[in-house]
Every structure is written in structure tokens, then in C-alpha cells.
Coordinates of all heavy atoms in Angstrom, one line a residue:
L2 N 53.7 134.0 123.4 CA 54.2 135.2 122.8 C 55.3 135.8 123.7 O 56.4 136.2 123.2 CB 53.1 136.2 122.4 CG 53.6 137.4 121.6 CD1 54.2 137.0 120.3 CD2 52.4 138.3 121.4
D3 N 55.0 135.9 124.9 CA 56.0 136.5 125.8 C 57.3 135.7 125.9 O 58.4 136.2 126.0 CB 55.4 136.7 127.2 CG 54.3 137.8 127.3 OD1 54.4 138.7 126.5 OD2 53.4 137.7 128.1
D4 N 57.1 134.3 125.8 CA 58.3 133.5 125.8 C 59.2 133.7 124.6 O 60.4 133.7 124.7 CB 57.9 132.0 125.9 CG 57.2 131.6 127.2 OD1 57.4 132.4 128.2 OD2 56.6 130.6 127.3
L5 N 58.5 133.9 123.5 CA 59.3 134.2 122.2 C 60.0 135.5 122.3 O 61.2 135.6 121.9 CB 58.4 134.2 121.0 CG 57.9 132.9 120.5 CD1 56.9 133.1 119.4 CD2 59.0 132.0 120.0
K6 N 59.3 136.5 122.9 CA 60.0 137.8 123.1 C 61.2 137.7 124.0 O 62.2 138.3 123.7 CB 59.0 138.8 123.6 CG 57.9 139.3 122.7 CD 57.0 140.3 123.4 CE 55.8 140.6 122.6 NZ 54.9 141.5 123.3
D7 N 61.0 137.0 125.1 CA 62.1 136.9 126.1 C 63.3 136.1 125.5 O 64.4 136.5 125.6 CB 61.6 136.1 127.3 CG 60.6 136.9 128.1 OD1 60.5 138.2 128.0 OD2 59.9 136.3 129.0
L8 N 63.0 135.0 124.8 CA 64.1 134.2 124.2 C 64.7 135.1 123.1 O 66.0 135.0 122.9 CB 63.5 132.9 123.6 CG 64.5 132.0 122.9 CD1 65.6 131.6 124.0 CD2 63.8 130.8 122.3
G9 N 64.0 135.8 122.3 CA 64.5 136.7 121.3 C 65.5 137.7 121.9 O 66.6 138.0 121.4
R10 N 65.1 138.3 123.0 CA 66.0 139.3 123.6 C 67.2 138.7 124.2 O 68.3 139.2 124.0 CB 65.2 140.0 124.8 CG 64.3 141.1 124.4 CD 63.8 141.9 125.6 NE 62.5 142.5 125.3 CZ 61.3 142.0 125.6 NH1 61.3 141.0 126.4 NH2 60.2 142.6 125.3
E11 N 67.1 137.5 124.8 CA 68.2 136.8 125.4 C 69.2 136.4 124.3 O 70.4 136.5 124.5 CB 67.7 135.5 126.1 CG 68.7 134.7 126.7 CD 68.2 133.4 127.3 OE1 67.1 133.5 128.0 OE2 68.8 132.4 127.2
K12 N 68.7 135.9 123.2 CA 69.6 135.4 122.1 C 69.9 136.4 121.0 O 70.8 136.2 120.2 CB 69.0 134.1 121.4 CG 68.7 133.0 122.4 CD 70.0 132.3 122.7 CE 69.6 131.0 123.5 NZ 70.8 130.3 123.8
G13 N 69.2 137.5 121.0 CA 69.4 138.5 120.0 C 68.8 138.2 118.7 O 69.2 138.6 117.6
W14 N 67.7 137.4 118.8 CA 66.9 137.0 117.6 C 65.6 137.7 117.5 O 65.0 138.1 118.5 CB 66.6 135.5 117.7 CG 67.8 134.6 117.7 CD1 69.0 134.8 117.3 CD2 67.8 133.3 118.3 NE1 69.8 133.7 117.5 CE2 69.1 132.8 118.1 CE3 66.8 132.5 118.9 CZ2 69.5 131.5 118.6 CZ3 67.2 131.2 119.3 CH2 68.5 130.7 119.2
C15 N 65.1 137.9 116.3 CA 63.8 138.5 116.0 C 62.7 137.5 116.4 O 62.7 136.4 115.9 CB 63.7 138.9 114.6 SG 62.1 139.5 114.1
P16 N 61.8 137.9 117.3 CA 60.7 137.0 117.7 C 59.9 136.5 116.5 O 59.4 135.4 116.5 CB 59.9 137.8 118.7 CG 60.8 138.8 119.2 CD 61.8 139.1 118.1
Y17 N 59.7 137.4 115.5 CA 58.9 137.0 114.4 C 59.5 135.9 113.6 O 58.9 134.8 113.3 CB 58.7 138.2 113.4 CG 58.0 137.8 112.1 CD1 56.7 137.6 112.0 CD2 58.8 137.7 111.0 CE1 56.1 137.2 110.8 CE2 58.3 137.4 109.7 CZ 56.9 137.1 109.7 OH 56.4 136.8 108.5
F18 N 60.8 136.0 113.3 CA 61.5 135.0 112.5 C 61.7 133.7 113.4 O 61.8 132.6 112.9 CB 62.8 135.5 111.9 CG 62.6 136.4 110.8 CD1 62.7 137.8 110.9 CD2 62.1 135.9 109.6 CE1 62.5 138.6 109.9 CE2 61.8 136.8 108.5 CZ 62.0 138.1 108.7
L19 N 61.9 133.9 114.7 CA 62.0 132.7 115.6 C 60.7 131.9 115.5 O 60.7 130.7 115.4 CB 62.2 133.2 117.0 CG 62.3 132.2 118.1 CD1 63.4 131.2 117.8 CD2 62.6 132.8 119.4
A20 N 59.5 132.6 115.6 CA 58.2 132.0 115.5 C 58.1 131.2 114.2 O 57.6 130.1 114.1 CB 57.1 133.0 115.7
R21 N 58.5 131.9 113.1 CA 58.4 131.2 111.8 C 59.3 130.0 111.7 O 58.9 129.0 111.1 CB 58.9 132.2 110.7 CG 58.0 133.4 110.4 CD 57.1 133.3 109.3 NE 57.6 132.7 108.1 CZ 58.0 133.4 107.0 NH1 58.0 134.7 107.1 NH2 58.4 132.8 105.9
H22 N 60.4 130.0 112.4 CA 61.3 128.8 112.4 C 60.7 127.7 113.2 O 60.8 126.5 112.8 CB 62.7 129.2 113.0 CG 63.6 128.1 113.1 ND1 64.2 127.5 112.1 CD2 64.1 127.4 114.2 CE1 65.0 126.5 112.5 NE2 64.9 126.4 113.8
V23 N 60.1 128.0 114.4 CA 59.7 126.9 115.2 C 58.4 126.3 114.7 O 57.9 125.3 115.3 CB 59.5 127.3 116.7 CG1 60.9 127.7 117.3 CG2 58.5 128.4 116.9
I24 N 57.7 126.8 113.7 CA 56.5 126.2 113.1 C 56.8 124.8 112.7 O 56.0 123.9 112.9 CB 56.1 127.0 111.9 CG1 55.4 128.3 112.3 CG2 55.1 126.2 111.0 CD1 55.0 129.2 111.2
N25 N 58.0 124.5 112.2 CA 58.4 123.2 111.8 C 58.4 122.2 112.9 O 58.3 121.0 112.7 CB 59.8 123.2 111.2 CG 59.8 123.9 109.9 OD1 58.8 123.9 109.1 ND2 60.9 124.6 109.6
H26 N 58.5 122.6 114.2 CA 58.6 121.7 115.3 C 57.3 121.7 116.1 O 57.2 121.0 117.1 CB 59.7 122.2 116.2 CG 61.0 122.3 115.5 ND1 61.7 121.2 115.0 CD2 61.7 123.4 115.0 CE1 62.8 121.6 114.4 NE2 62.8 122.9 114.4
A27 N 56.3 122.4 115.7 CA 55.0 122.5 116.4 C 54.2 121.2 116.2 O 54.2 120.7 115.1 CB 54.2 123.7 116.0
K28 N 53.5 120.8 117.2 CA 52.6 119.6 117.1 C 51.2 120.2 116.8 O 50.4 119.5 116.1 CB 52.5 118.8 118.4 CG 53.8 118.1 118.7 CD 53.7 117.3 119.9 CE 55.1 116.6 120.1 NZ 55.2 115.6 121.0
V29 N 50.9 121.4 117.2 CA 49.6 122.0 116.9 C 49.9 123.4 116.6 O 50.7 124.1 117.2 CB 48.7 122.0 118.2 CG1 47.4 122.7 117.9 CG2 48.4 120.5 118.6
L30 N 49.3 123.9 115.5 CA 49.5 125.2 115.0 C 48.2 125.9 114.8 O 47.3 125.3 114.1 CB 50.3 125.2 113.7 CG 50.6 126.5 113.0 CD1 51.5 127.4 113.9 CD2 51.3 126.3 111.7
V31 N 48.0 127.0 115.4 CA 46.7 127.7 115.2 C 47.0 129.1 114.6 O 47.8 129.8 115.2 CB 46.0 127.9 116.6 CG1 44.7 128.7 116.4 CG2 45.7 126.6 117.3
Y32 N 46.5 129.3 113.5 CA 46.6 130.6 112.8 C 45.5 130.8 111.9 O 44.7 129.9 111.6 CB 48.0 130.8 112.2 CG 48.4 130.0 111.0 CD1 49.5 130.3 110.3 CD2 47.6 128.9 110.5 CE1 49.9 129.6 109.2 CE2 48.0 128.2 109.4 CZ 49.2 128.6 108.7 OH 49.5 127.9 107.6
N33 N 45.4 132.0 111.3 CA 44.3 132.4 110.4 C 44.4 131.5 109.2 O 45.4 131.4 108.5 CB 44.5 133.9 110.1 CG 43.3 134.4 109.4 OD1 42.8 133.8 108.4 ND2 42.9 135.6 109.8
Y34 N 43.2 130.9 108.8 CA 43.2 130.0 107.6 C 43.5 130.8 106.3 O 43.9 130.2 105.3 CB 41.9 129.2 107.5 CG 40.7 130.0 107.4 CD1 40.3 130.6 106.2 CD2 39.8 130.2 108.5 CE1 39.1 131.4 106.1 CE2 38.7 130.9 108.4 CZ 38.3 131.5 107.2 OH 37.1 132.2 107.1
Q35 N 43.4 132.1 106.3 CA 43.7 132.9 105.2 C 45.2 132.8 104.8 O 45.6 132.9 103.7 CB 43.3 134.3 105.3 CG 41.8 134.5 105.4 CD 41.3 135.8 105.8 OE1 41.9 136.4 106.7 NE2 40.3 136.3 105.1
Y36 N 46.0 132.5 105.9 CA 47.5 132.4 105.6 C 47.7 131.1 104.8 O 48.8 131.0 104.2 CB 48.2 132.3 106.9 CG 48.3 133.6 107.7 CD1 48.5 133.6 109.1 CD2 48.1 134.8 107.1 CE1 48.6 134.7 109.8 CE2 48.2 136.0 107.8 CZ 48.4 135.9 109.2 OH 48.5 137.1 109.8
M37 N 46.8 130.2 104.8 CA 47.1 128.9 104.1 C 46.4 129.0 102.7 O 46.8 128.5 101.7 CB 46.5 127.7 104.8 CG 46.7 126.4 104.1 SD 46.4 125.0 105.1 CE 48.0 125.0 106.1
L38 N 45.2 129.7 102.6 CA 44.4 129.7 101.4 C 44.8 130.7 100.4 O 44.6 130.6 99.2 CB 43.0 129.8 101.8 CG 42.4 128.6 102.6 CD1 41.0 128.9 103.0 CD2 42.6 127.3 101.9
D39 N 45.3 131.9 100.8 CA 45.6 132.9 99.9 C 47.0 132.7 99.3 O 48.0 132.6 100.1 CB 45.6 134.3 100.6 CG 45.8 135.5 99.7 OD1 46.5 135.3 98.7 OD2 45.3 136.5 100.0
P40 N 47.1 132.4 98.0 CA 48.4 132.0 97.5 C 49.5 133.1 97.7 O 50.7 132.7 97.8 CB 48.1 131.9 96.0 CG 46.6 131.8 95.8 CD 46.0 132.4 97.0
K41 N 49.1 134.3 97.7 CA 50.2 135.4 97.9 C 50.8 135.3 99.3 O 52.0 135.5 99.5 CB 49.5 136.8 97.7 CG 49.0 137.0 96.3 CD 48.3 138.3 96.3 CE 46.8 138.0 96.7 NZ 45.8 139.0 96.5
V42 N 50.0 134.9 100.3 CA 50.5 134.8 101.7 C 51.0 133.4 102.0 O 52.1 133.2 102.6 CB 49.4 135.1 102.7 CG1 49.8 135.0 104.1 CG2 48.8 136.5 102.4
A43 N 50.4 132.4 101.4 CA 50.8 131.0 101.7 C 52.2 130.7 101.3 O 52.9 129.9 102.0 CB 49.8 130.0 101.1
G44 N 52.6 131.3 100.2 CA 54.0 131.0 99.7 C 55.0 131.5 100.7 O 56.1 130.9 100.8
M45 N 54.7 132.5 101.5 CA 55.6 133.0 102.5 C 55.5 132.3 103.9 O 56.4 132.1 104.6 CB 55.5 134.5 102.6 CG 55.8 135.3 101.4 SD 55.7 137.0 101.6 CE 53.9 137.2 101.9
V46 N 54.2 132.0 104.2 CA 54.0 131.6 105.6 C 53.7 130.1 105.8 O 54.3 129.5 106.7 CB 52.7 132.4 106.2 CG1 52.4 131.9 107.6 CG2 53.0 133.9 106.1
S47 N 53.0 129.5 104.9 CA 52.6 128.1 105.1 C 53.5 127.1 104.4 O 53.3 125.9 104.6 CB 51.2 127.9 104.5 OG 50.2 128.7 105.1
R48 N 54.5 127.5 103.7 CA 55.3 126.6 103.0 C 56.2 125.8 104.0 O 56.7 124.7 103.6 CB 56.2 127.3 102.0 CG 57.3 128.2 102.6 CD 58.2 128.7 101.5 NE 59.1 129.7 102.2 CZ 59.3 130.9 101.8 NH1 58.7 131.3 100.7 NH2 60.1 131.7 102.4
E49 N 56.3 126.2 105.2 CA 57.1 125.5 106.2 C 56.4 124.3 106.8 O 56.9 123.5 107.4 CB 57.6 126.4 107.4 CG 58.7 127.4 107.0 CD 58.1 128.8 106.8 OE1 56.9 129.0 107.1 OE2 58.9 129.7 106.4
L50 N 55.1 124.2 106.6 CA 54.3 123.1 107.1 C 54.6 121.8 106.4 O 54.9 121.8 105.2 CB 52.8 123.4 107.0 CG 52.2 124.6 107.7 CD1 50.7 124.7 107.4 CD2 52.4 124.4 109.2
E51 N 54.7 120.8 107.2 CA 55.0 119.5 106.6 C 53.8 119.0 105.7 O 52.6 119.3 105.9 CB 55.2 118.4 107.7 CG 56.4 118.7 108.6 CD 57.7 118.5 107.9 OE1 57.7 117.6 107.0 OE2 58.6 119.2 108.2
A52 N 54.1 118.2 104.7 CA 53.0 117.7 103.8 C 52.0 116.8 104.6 O 50.9 116.7 104.2 CB 53.7 116.9 102.7
E53 N 52.5 116.2 105.7 CA 51.6 115.3 106.5 C 50.8 116.1 107.6 O 50.3 115.5 108.4 CB 52.4 114.2 107.1 CG 53.0 113.3 106.1 CD 54.4 113.8 105.6 OE1 55.0 114.6 106.3 OE2 54.8 113.4 104.5
S54 N 50.9 117.4 107.6 CA 50.2 118.2 108.6 C 48.7 118.0 108.5 O 48.1 117.8 107.5 CB 50.6 119.6 108.4 OG 51.9 119.9 108.6
I55 N 48.1 118.0 109.7 CA 46.7 118.0 109.8 C 46.3 119.5 110.1 O 46.8 120.1 111.0 CB 46.2 117.1 111.0 CG1 46.6 115.6 110.6 CG2 44.7 117.2 111.2 CD1 46.3 114.7 111.7
V56 N 45.3 119.9 109.3 CA 44.9 121.3 109.4 C 43.4 121.3 109.8 O 42.6 120.6 109.1 CB 45.1 122.1 108.1 CG1 44.6 123.5 108.3 CG2 46.6 122.1 107.8
V57 N 43.0 122.0 110.8 CA 41.6 122.1 111.2 C 41.3 123.6 111.1 O 41.9 124.5 111.6 CB 41.4 121.7 112.7 CG1 40.0 121.9 113.1 CG2 41.9 120.2 112.9
F58 N 40.2 123.9 110.3 CA 39.8 125.2 110.1 C 38.6 125.6 111.0 O 37.6 124.9 111.0 CB 39.3 125.4 108.6 CG 40.4 125.4 107.6 CD1 40.3 124.5 106.6 CD2 41.5 126.3 107.6 CE1 41.3 124.4 105.6 CE2 42.4 126.2 106.7 CZ 42.4 125.3 105.7
D59 N 38.8 126.6 111.7 CA 37.7 127.2 112.5 C 37.0 128.2 111.6 O 37.6 128.8 110.7 CB 38.3 127.9 113.8 CG 37.2 128.3 114.7 OD1 36.0 127.8 114.6 OD2 37.4 129.2 115.6
E60 N 35.7 128.4 111.8 CA 35.0 129.3 111.0 C 35.0 128.9 109.5 O 35.0 129.7 108.6 CB 35.5 130.7 111.2 CG 35.4 131.3 112.6 CD 34.0 131.6 113.0 OE1 33.1 132.0 112.1 OE2 33.7 131.4 114.2
A61 N 34.9 127.6 109.3 CA 35.0 127.1 107.9 C 33.9 127.5 107.0 O 34.1 127.5 105.8 CB 35.1 125.5 108.0
H62 N 32.8 128.0 107.6 CA 31.7 128.5 106.7 C 32.1 129.7 105.9 O 31.4 130.1 104.9 CB 30.5 128.7 107.5 CG 30.6 129.8 108.6 ND1 31.1 129.5 109.8 CD2 30.4 131.1 108.5 CE1 31.2 130.6 110.5 NE2 30.7 131.6 109.8
N63 N 33.2 130.3 106.2 CA 33.7 131.5 105.5 C 34.7 131.2 104.4 O 35.2 132.0 103.7 CB 34.3 132.5 106.5 CG 33.3 133.1 107.4 OD1 32.2 133.4 107.0 ND2 33.7 133.3 108.7
I64 N 35.2 129.9 104.3 CA 36.3 129.5 103.5 C 35.9 129.8 102.0 O 36.8 130.3 101.3 CB 36.7 128.1 103.7 CG1 37.4 128.0 105.0 CG2 37.6 127.6 102.6 CD1 37.8 126.6 105.4
D65 N 34.7 129.5 101.6 CA 34.4 129.7 100.1 C 34.6 131.2 99.7 O 35.2 131.5 98.7 CB 33.0 129.2 99.8 CG 31.9 129.8 100.6 OD1 32.2 130.4 101.7 OD2 30.7 129.7 100.2
N66 N 34.2 132.1 100.6 CA 34.3 133.5 100.3 C 35.8 133.9 100.3 O 36.2 134.7 99.4 CB 33.6 134.4 101.3 CG 32.1 134.2 101.2 OD1 31.6 133.9 100.1 ND2 31.4 134.4 102.3
V67 N 36.6 133.4 101.2 CA 38.0 133.7 101.2 C 38.7 133.2 100.0 O 39.5 133.9 99.4 CB 38.6 133.1 102.5 CG1 40.2 133.3 102.5 CG2 38.1 133.8 103.7
C68 N 38.4 132.0 99.5 CA 39.0 131.4 98.3 C 38.6 132.3 97.1 O 39.4 132.6 96.2 CB 38.5 130.0 98.1 SG 39.2 128.9 99.3
I69 N 37.3 132.6 97.0 CA 36.9 133.4 95.9 C 37.6 134.8 95.8 O 38.1 135.2 94.8 CB 35.3 133.7 95.9 CG1 34.6 132.3 95.6 CG2 34.9 134.8 95.0 CD1 33.1 132.4 95.9
E70 N 37.7 135.4 97.0 CA 38.4 136.7 97.0 C 39.9 136.5 96.7 O 40.5 137.4 96.0 CB 38.2 137.3 98.4 CG 38.8 138.7 98.6 CD 38.6 139.3 99.9 OE1 37.5 139.1 100.5 OE2 39.5 140.0 100.4
A71 N 40.5 135.5 97.3 CA 42.0 135.3 97.1 C 42.3 135.0 95.6 O 43.4 135.4 95.1 CB 42.5 134.2 98.0
L72 N 41.4 134.4 94.9 CA 41.7 133.9 93.5 C 41.0 134.8 92.5 O 41.1 134.5 91.3 CB 41.3 132.5 93.4 CG 42.1 131.5 94.3 CD1 41.6 130.1 94.2 CD2 43.6 131.5 94.0
S73 N 40.4 135.9 92.9 CA 39.7 136.7 91.9 C 40.7 137.8 91.4 O 41.7 138.2 92.0 CB 38.6 137.5 92.6 OG 37.6 136.6 93.0
V74 N 40.4 138.2 90.2 CA 41.2 139.2 89.5 C 40.3 140.4 89.2 O 39.2 140.2 88.6 CB 41.9 138.7 88.2 CG1 42.6 139.7 87.5 CG2 42.7 137.5 88.6
A75 N 40.8 141.6 89.5 CA 40.0 142.8 89.1 C 40.5 143.3 87.8 O 41.7 143.4 87.5 CB 40.2 143.9 90.2
M76 N 39.6 143.5 86.9 CA 39.9 144.0 85.5 C 39.1 145.3 85.2 O 38.0 145.4 85.7 CB 39.5 142.9 84.5 CG 40.4 141.7 84.7 SD 39.9 140.3 83.6 CE 39.4 141.0 82.1
D77 N 39.7 146.1 84.4 CA 39.0 147.3 84.0 C 38.8 147.1 82.4 O 39.2 146.1 81.9 CB 39.8 148.6 84.3 CG 41.1 148.6 83.7 OD1 41.4 147.9 82.7 OD2 42.0 149.4 84.2
Q78 N 38.1 148.0 81.8 CA 37.8 147.9 80.4 C 39.0 147.8 79.5 O 39.0 147.2 78.5 CB 36.9 149.1 80.0 CG 36.4 149.0 78.6 CD 35.4 147.8 78.5 OE1 34.7 147.4 79.4 NE2 35.3 147.3 77.3
Q79 N 40.1 148.4 79.9 CA 41.3 148.4 79.0 C 41.9 147.0 78.9 O 42.5 146.7 77.9 CB 42.3 149.3 79.6 CG 41.9 150.8 79.5 CD 42.9 151.7 80.1 OE1 43.8 151.3 80.8 NE2 42.7 153.0 79.9
V80 N 41.8 146.1 79.9 CA 42.5 144.8 79.9 C 41.9 144.0 78.8 O 42.7 143.4 78.0 CB 42.4 144.1 81.2 CG1 42.9 142.7 81.2 CG2 43.1 144.9 82.3
P81 N 40.6 143.8 78.6 CA 40.1 142.9 77.5 C 40.3 143.5 76.1 O 40.4 142.7 75.2 CB 38.5 142.9 77.8 CG 38.4 143.3 79.2 CD 39.5 144.2 79.5
E82 N 40.5 144.8 76.0 CA 40.7 145.4 74.7 C 42.2 145.1 74.2 O 42.4 145.4 73.0 CB 40.4 146.8 74.7 CG 38.9 147.1 74.9 CD 38.6 148.6 75.1 OE1 39.5 149.4 75.1 OE2 37.4 148.9 75.3
R83 N 43.1 144.7 75.0 CA 44.5 144.5 74.6 C 44.6 143.4 73.7 O 44.3 142.4 73.4 CB 45.4 144.4 75.8 CG 45.5 145.7 76.5 CD 46.5 145.5 77.6 NE 46.5 146.8 78.4 CZ 47.1 147.0 79.5 NH1 47.7 146.0 80.1 NH2 47.1 148.1 80.1

């Protein structure tokens, strides 16, 4: 992280967008699996991953709950009545 900050200062680049750019060149990427499983977030963050990427999930026993939460819709009584 410090290297990205230093390079960002030196080149005048935003460290966040620099990190997003270098994802394409990483051999190993470690980040929260919710960034890949939640469709709202994955479209912005995970789309840069290659189709042939290997993904290893840590704490995989929580994945089912994360998927259920990410794909659930909250409805109130007015929605079914429409």
C-alpha cells in the first residue's frame, strides 16, 4: 500500500485507481470475496479479472449467507398489490 501511495505521489496518480489498474497484472489477488459475489459491487471491482483467473475464498463457510444477502430483495406490502 505504501508503494502505491509513493508511486501515486510521484506520478500524480490516484493510488485507488492505480491499484484498480494493476489488478490486471497481478499473479495473486487477495480481497474480500464479497467484491466478487455481490453483483452491485462485482460489476465495478471484479470485472477486470481475467476469465482464466483462479480464485481462492477464505472463510468460505460464510459464502452462502453472503450470496443470499446479496441477491435478496426487500419488499413491503405495497409492492405485491401493484
Side-chain angles (χ1 to χ4, degrees):
L2 184 58
D3 290 334
D4 291 343
L5 284 174
K6 288 181 190 177
D7 292 342
L8 183 60
R10 278 191 208 101
E11 178 185 320
K12 300 285 187 179
W14 299 334
C15 171
Y17 170 77
F18 288 106
L19 178 60
R21 294 262 315 261
H22 176 72
V23 298
I24 285 174
N25 293 326
H26 306 287
K28 294 185 181 190
V29 176
L30 179 62
V31 178
Y32 69 168
N33 188 314
Y34 59 78
Q35 291 169 320
Y36 289 159
M37 180 168 283
L38 299 177
D39 187 329
K41 295 172 277 192
V42 179
M45 295 183 295
V46 177
S47 300
R48 68 175 176 232
E49 287 105 4
L50 295 177
E51 295 291 328
E53 297 85 23
S54 296
I55 296 172
V56 178
V57 178
F58 291 122
D59 187 19
E60 299 289 325
H62 60 275
N63 294 319
I64 289 178
D65 57 344
N66 293 332
V67 171
C68 290
I69 290 168
E70 184 178 322
L72 299 174
S73 294
V74 177
M76 295 176 35
D77 60 21
Q78 188 63 28
Q79 294 175 346
V80 173
E82 293 175 359
R83 288 185 186 167

